[in-house]
Amino acid sequence: MVVAALLAAGAQGQADKRFEKWYREQIASRIRLSGYRDLGYHVETVTGDGEAFDQTNYGGQGDRRFTDRGFVRAVGNKVLGLFDFDVNLQDSRFQDPQGEKFTVNYDAGAWSFSGGDIQGRLLNTNRFARFNKTLRGLSAGYRSGPLQVKALRSQARGEARTVSIEGNNTPGPYFLQSSQVVRGSESITVDGVTMVYGVDYWIDYDLGAVTFENRATGSSRLIPPSSTIVATYESFGFGGPAGTIEGIGATYSFGKGGRAGTLGVTTMRQVTGSSGRLSSRLEKFQGYGAPGTPYTLQFTPLPGQPLTVRIDGVLQAEGVDYYFDPVNKAVFYITRFVPSTSTVDVVYTPTPTNNVQGDREVFGLDYRLPLGKGGDLTVSQAFGRLTNTTSPQSGQARSVEGRYVSGKYTFSGSWRDVGDDFVSIESTGFNRNERSYDAGVEYKPDQWRSFTFNTSNNSIAVRSVNGAQTTVNRTRFTRNEFSHTLTADQTKAWPLTFSVVDTKSATSAGETTVDTASVSTRRTFGKLSSSLGIDSSRISGVSSGSVDSVSLRSTYLASKVLQTSLDLALSNVRSGDESGTGRSVNFRARYFPNSDFNVSLTYTDADNGGVSALSGFSGGYGYGYGGNGFSNGADTSIVGASSGRRLAVSADARLSDRLSGSGTASYYRTSGSVSSNSETRQVGGMLSYDMGQGFRLEANADISRTQFIDLPQTSSSTTAGLYLDGSPPGRFSFRVGVYRLFTGGGGQFGQDNASYELGMAYRLADRHALIFNWNSSRTTGYYPQLDTESSLTYRYQIWRSLALNASYRFHDVTNLDPTNTSGAYQSRGFHVELAFNFGQ
């Protein structure tokens, strides 16, 4: 019996070890947690301005007995050998609206499934029934031999839009008429040429603004008023009717490897959701310092709805303490210096986003036939209809696209006939209602030379809505291009690209012709690398004028420790009696003799030259977008040209084993219709000294001055801080600090501040600690206040990533101006918090 028991115990032990190994290999090692979470229970007494307390405490959740703050992200890779998932949980409504998501993927053999927040795609073989959109739902796929099927059903999370914007002779920013652009959803062209993210442009996804600048190199591109930007993207929805989308796509390949062709079938349906509800939103900012710095809301406020701005709980007056940009209503400026220690709270109602109206259905057939080596022929047809509107419509779309390679020649061509009343499921892309054909030929006689000719002719439907009446007008756009490229080793010769483009656009107002010639080359001379581009355009017809541009980029590697780069772009615009030369200058230099010291210099200068538009000009590249049969759009654009100049010097130095420091100095001026119209000078520095025995001393200071252009108002500030941290051997540690703010410039907005902090911790035993914190801040001048807060906390570290905190807090905010009734309150009470820290 004893032997049997020992054997059984041994077998159980082996089984436990096998299970532990299996759990570690199949589950634990394949899941990664990151982030933090703070779960709190609060018993508190509050008197005074309760709304100020609610907004400034617990991340804006001061009115709740239970609070849940922080974020947790869990990522699983082939858990149990089957599942991938990505879960990101955020607190309440104050974080990135695109960040909250839950996605699960399953892939096993012929079957695949995706659920949650997914990037919904069908097989997309039919150009008129393609789909690519952010969804919340389920998709499933099946693949077996020559058959492939994919289906989805979901609720739409965003709105697909395609918009066109005329250049204004600057690199930007160009506003896409929507905030909260879904990250990575955009495709952008300039005069029909696809731009590459990170190389040709960068985008502020929160603001929906595109700037044609390579941030890594500093090179910029001026977009002249004779050029058209077309952007297709998806904007994150808020408060609008989401609706549902469902569809199925299938392909079947004939012959081995599809050599006899591939047949595709697609059917989709989009059902409009019910009317959305208006709801308010709280967004929080730390102070941005100088008053010329923009604060950007994640959505555009809905006109006519209440909007409040508080700084440290004190209500601010619009037009006095802050103002919104007159062109872009998602941007506002504060008229005085706001230190980073202050919190700015904005409560507003976002403008609801709307999907395309009506229920939509589309059915498509397509067939792709391989042609020779590297060629193919695709025939597509689709039937689409719009229902559930005051003006139902339906139509069909057809196309033939082909490519054929024969020796040194490549031939391509397409024909499209998209009916004026054809509609498809709302999706990003450059489709439009048109009748058109394109043809092209490329000839490469050898590896060094290539010749290309392309032509296109388009009759485009442009839809305009006036109340309940919809009118469709047709415009014509033709384009002919010839280019020659001569490649070469740029260290020994001059590679050359030359092109000539002729475009004609015709509307009811008349015809406009644009003839453009371009040449570009590059060369490397030892440590100096340069590239040069020249463009010249002549415009005639309804509009007349000329645009001549030159761009130069040079990089000089003087040595292993000194690098410089210069980017220069000039664009001269002439229209009638007006003439102006826009410019974009970027110079960068970096000197880094060793790991203990580096200094960098940056200079940028951008100006539109005073001529940012051509009267009555329409180049034709943007016709037919914005409210066509494929995606939504806007009737008006956020336009405007701004100029700016910036000079900045920064340095970092490790002066000894114990002493390190850094310093910055900058000058920035911005003016125009989409800017703060201000000039700011700033200088600052920081020193850190390791005193030994666990003691560290830190000091920082910053001086800035802002002058508003064409206004007598100025703002200046001086900040300074001194902090001592101590963690000597033993159980005791502390931090003590003082911060001062002095403002000037005259006027009624001057605000001085003196802040003090004291923190002490005493380790009672392993995992047990007692912590005391005290902070006091006195603001004088504009909106004077006295703010004092103290707390005593007992902390129990349950394990490395989990702590339990029990504390008593007292907080008193007193207005020193008896006429100010907002922002003052007193609170006291007990708090219990469970704090998780993942990935630490």
Side-chain angles (χ1 to χ4, degrees):
M1 294 293 292
V2 175
V3 173
L6 291 174
L7 290 175
Q12 182 63 43
Q14 292 296 323
D16 290 343
K17 290 181 179 180
R18 287 195 297 269
F19 175 79
E20 182 180 348
K21 180 180 179 182
W22 173 86
Y23 173 80
R24 184 174 60 253
E25 293 178 351
Q26 296 297 319
I27 299 179
S29 64
R30 303 189 179 199
I31 298 176
R32 180 169 54 87
L33 294 175
S34 60
Y36 72 95
R37 205 80 187 180
D38 191 320
L39 306 177
Y41 175 72
H42 314 277
V43 180
E44 201 154 22
T45 300
V46 180
T47 58
D49 190 341
E51 186 174 353
F53 174 84
D54 295 342
Q55 290 186 15
T56 57
N57 286 270
Y58 318 125
Q61 303 178 62
D63 57 340
R64 302 182 184 181
R65 181 66 58 90
F66 295 92
T67 59
D68 179 5
R69 294 181 293 157
F71 74 94
V72 175
R73 185 179 183 187
V75 179
N77 182 27
K78 293 298 179 185
V79 179
L80 300 176
L82 299 173
F83 295 96
D84 296 332
F85 63 82
D86 189 347
V87 181
N88 194 18
L89 302 176
Q90 301 185 93
D91 60 339
S92 194
R93 52 185 176 164
F94 313 118
Q95 300 295 326
D96 179 2
Q98 298 185 45
E100 187 87 15
K101 65 180 181 179
F102 174 79
T103 305
V104 177
N105 300 309
Y106 168 82
D107 193 346
W111 292 94
S112 62
F113 297 93
S114 294
D117 300 308
I118 61 176
Q119 191 65 28
R121 293 183 179 92
L122 292 179
L123 299 178
N124 288 347
T125 56
N126 190 313
R127 66 171 297 140
F128 305 119
R130 289 178 177 168
F131 187 74
N132 185 3
K133 195 172 182 182
T134 305
L135 303 173
R136 175 165 288 172
L138 176 69
S139 70
Y142 174 79
R143 185 165 194 163
S144 177
L147 177 65
Q148 185 176 357
V149 182
K150 192 167 185 181
L152 62 85
R153 190 179 194 282
S154 178
Q155 184 183 69
R157 294 194 70 196
E159 174 190 17
R161 312 190 80 174
T162 304
V163 298
S164 60
I165 307 168
E166 301 299 328
N168 59 29
N169 219 30
T170 71
Y174 294 92
F175 298 98
L176 300 183
Q177 309 167 16
S178 297
S179 57
Q180 282 302 319
V181 172
V182 174
R183 292 172 178 84
S185 69
E186 82 283 356
S187 295
I188 296 174
T189 66
V190 176
D191 291 343
V193 179
T194 300
M195 301 288 102
V196 179
Y197 174 78
V199 177
D200 301 309
Y201 73 93
W202 65 273
I203 181 170
D204 183 332
Y205 288 105
D206 291 331
L207 186 57
V210 175
T211 302
F212 291 91
E213 174 187 289
N214 185 317
R215 283 198 148 181
T217 64
S219 59
S220 299
R221 173 176 177 173
L222 298 176
I223 309 299
S226 58
S227 291
T228 302
I229 305 160
V230 180
T232 182
Y233 61 92
E234 190 180 353
S235 64
F236 186 80
F238 185 91
T244 59
I245 296 174
E246 54 191 12
I248 184 169
T251 63
Y252 188 87
S253 299
F254 299 93
K256 187 175 181 181
R259 285 190 301 226
T262 302
L263 175 66
V265 180
T266 307
T267 180
M268 293 185 292
R269 181 174 68 173
Q270 179 175 357
V271 179
T272 306
S274 59
S275 299
R277 290 186 306 172
L278 296 179
S279 59
S280 63
R281 179 177 177 83
L282 167 65
E283 292 185 20
K284 305 175 78 67
F285 305 86
Q286 295 306 117
Y288 287 171
T293 309
Y295 294 76
T296 302
L297 298 174
Q298 293 178 337
F299 298 95
T300 301
L302 181 63
Q305 294 296 313
L307 184 148
T308 61
V309 176
R310 290 177 181 262
I311 300 179
D312 293 332
V314 179
L315 275 171
Q316 309 295 297
E318 184 172 4
V320 179
D321 302 307
Y322 70 93
Y323 64 94
F324 276 85
D325 190 287
V327 177
N328 192 334
K329 301 300 183 181
V331 176
F332 69 97
Y333 301 89
I334 297 175
T335 55
R336 66 180 185 276
F337 183 91
V338 182
S340 59
T341 54
S342 292
T343 302
V344 180
D345 297 305
V346 184
V347 177
Y348 69 103
T349 300
T351 300
T353 54
N354 295 306
N355 295 64
V356 291
Q357 295 302 305
D359 297 342
R360 295 174 167 231
E361 299 174 356
V362 63
F363 173 77
L365 291 170
D366 59 271
Y367 188 79
R368 179 182 177 273
L369 178 67
L371 296 178
K373 194 174 182 179
D376 59 75
L377 178 69
T378 302
V379 180
S380 300
Q381 183 156 353
F383 303 88
R385 66 173 184 165
L386 172 67
T387 62
N388 196 30
T389 65
T390 56
S391 301
Q393 64 188 67
S394 62
Q396 65 175 325
R398 298 169 292 178
S399 73
V400 179
E401 302 172 85
R403 183 174 180 271
Y404 182 74
V405 180
S406 177
K408 299 177 181 179
Y409 291 89
T410 300
F411 301 92
S412 60
S414 66
W415 168 82
R416 296 180 298 280
D417 183 1
V418 185
D420 294 353
D421 291 328
F422 175 80
V423 295
S424 185
I425 302 302
E426 180 194 29
S427 182
T428 58
F430 295 107
N431 276 315
R432 57 189 173 186
N433 299 81
E434 62 181 347
R435 293 192 293 268
S436 65
Y437 68 81
D438 306 281
V441 59
E442 181 183 16
Y443 172 58
K444 298 189 69 172
D446 52 49
Q447 62 177 329
W448 306 108
R449 295 175 295 164
S450 67
F451 300 86
T452 304
F453 174 76
N454 292 292
T455 182
S456 64
N457 191 305
N458 307 269
S459 176
I460 306 163
V462 178
R463 194 176 292 269
S464 59
V465 180
N466 184 10
Q469 184 177 3
T470 300
T471 304
V472 177
N473 298 309
R474 302 206 70 83
T475 63
R476 184 167 293 279
F477 176 63
T478 62
R479 184 181 191 273
N480 299 295
E481 177 187 12
F482 171 78
S483 67
H484 171 53
T485 300
L486 177 64
T487 59
D489 184 345
Q490 67 185 64
T491 63
K492 300 177 182 179
W494 296 87
L496 185 68
T497 298
F498 172 75
S499 67
V500 178
V501 181
D502 169 76
T503 65
K504 289 183 175 63
S505 60
T507 67
S508 58
E511 185 175 272
T512 300
T513 300
V514 182
D515 295 310
T516 302
S518 305
V519 62
S520 63
T521 187
R522 59 188 185 276
R523 188 68 189 269
T524 298
F525 299 95
K527 298 178 180 180
L528 176 65
S529 298
S530 298
S531 62
L532 175 67
I534 301 174
D535 300 90
S536 181
S537 297
R538 296 296 177 265
I539 304 161
S540 60
V542 175
S543 301
S544 62
S546 63
V547 179
D548 298 302
S549 305
V550 60
S551 61
L552 171 68
R553 180 170 191 268
S554 295
T555 301
Y556 181 59
L557 305 178
S559 66
K560 293 182 178 179
V561 299
L562 177 61
Q563 299 177 354
T564 65
S565 66
L566 171 66
D567 291 275
L568 172 66
L570 300 174
S571 180
N572 180 262
V573 180
R574 290 184 294 276
S575 177
D577 296 331
E578 292 187 324
S579 177
T581 300
R583 68 178 180 272
S584 175
V585 181
N586 293 272
F587 175 77
R588 295 184 179 187
R590 183 169 181 255
Y591 177 62
F592 46 102
N594 52 60
S595 60
D596 292 333
F597 178 75
N598 73 83
V599 60
S600 62
L601 169 69
T602 302
Y603 174 76
T604 62
D605 183 12
D607 193 304
N608 69 348
V611 180
S612 60
L614 297 171
S615 177
F617 177 79
S618 181
Y621 284 100
Y623 286 151
Y625 299 113
N628 58 22
F630 296 88
S631 63
N632 219 328
D635 296 328
T636 59
S637 301
I638 297 176
V639 296
S642 61
S643 303
R645 183 177 300 163
R646 183 175 186 268
L647 175 65
V649 180
S650 63
D652 292 281
R654 185 174 179 85
L655 305 175
S656 68
D657 290 342
R658 293 189 173 186
L659 181 64
S660 62
S662 63
T664 62
S666 65
Y667 165 82
Y668 183 66
R669 176 188 173 93
T670 176
S671 62
S673 58
V674 188
S675 74
S676 62
N677 288 284
S678 63
E679 182 179 80
T680 298
R681 295 175 173 86
Q682 178 269 336
V683 62
M686 184 274 292
L687 286 174
S688 177
Y689 179 61
D690 184 354
M691 304 171 65
Q693 299 297 316
F695 293 91
R696 177 174 294 275
L697 184 67
E698 293 184 0
N700 59 67
D702 184 276
I703 301 173
S704 72
R705 176 182 174 84
T706 298
Q707 170 70 56
F708 290 93
I709 300 173
D710 299 329
L711 291 175
Q713 183 177 339
T714 63
S715 174
S716 64
S717 66
T718 300
T719 64
L722 184 65
Y723 305 92
L724 176 64
D725 289 281
S727 299
R731 299 172 178 263
F732 180 72
S733 61
F734 71 91
R735 176 179 172 86
V736 60
V738 58
Y739 167 86
R740 295 299 307 270
L741 164 66
F742 305 96
T743 61
Q748 59 176 327
F749 300 110
Q751 229 183 29
D752 294 345
N753 177 269
S755 299
Y756 307 91
E757 66 174 86
L758 172 64
M760 298 182 293
Y762 184 77
R763 184 165 54 86
L764 301 171
D766 290 341
R767 301 187 179 186
H768 300 268
L770 197 60
I771 302 167
F772 173 76
N773 284 296
W774 173 83
N775 299 276
S776 181
S777 175
R778 184 182 182 90
T779 301
T780 57
Y782 192 61
Y783 289 140
Q785 273 191 337
L786 178 62
D787 187 331
T788 303
E789 182 178 10
S790 59
S791 65
L792 182 64
T793 302
Y794 165 73
R795 171 174 296 172
Y796 174 55
Q797 198 75 36
I798 300 174
W799 67 72
R800 186 182 62 176
S801 299
L802 178 62
L804 179 66
N805 300 311
S807 61
Y808 177 81
R809 297 176 190 167
F810 173 81
H811 193 182
D812 181 75
V813 182
T814 304
N815 289 328
L816 302 180
D817 180 357
T819 64
N820 181 24
T821 59
S822 71
Y825 62 86
Q826 188 178 94
S827 66
R828 65 185 71 202
F830 292 93
H831 312 266
V832 178
E833 297 173 329
L834 194 62
F836 298 83
N837 283 281
F838 303 101
Q840 302 296 320

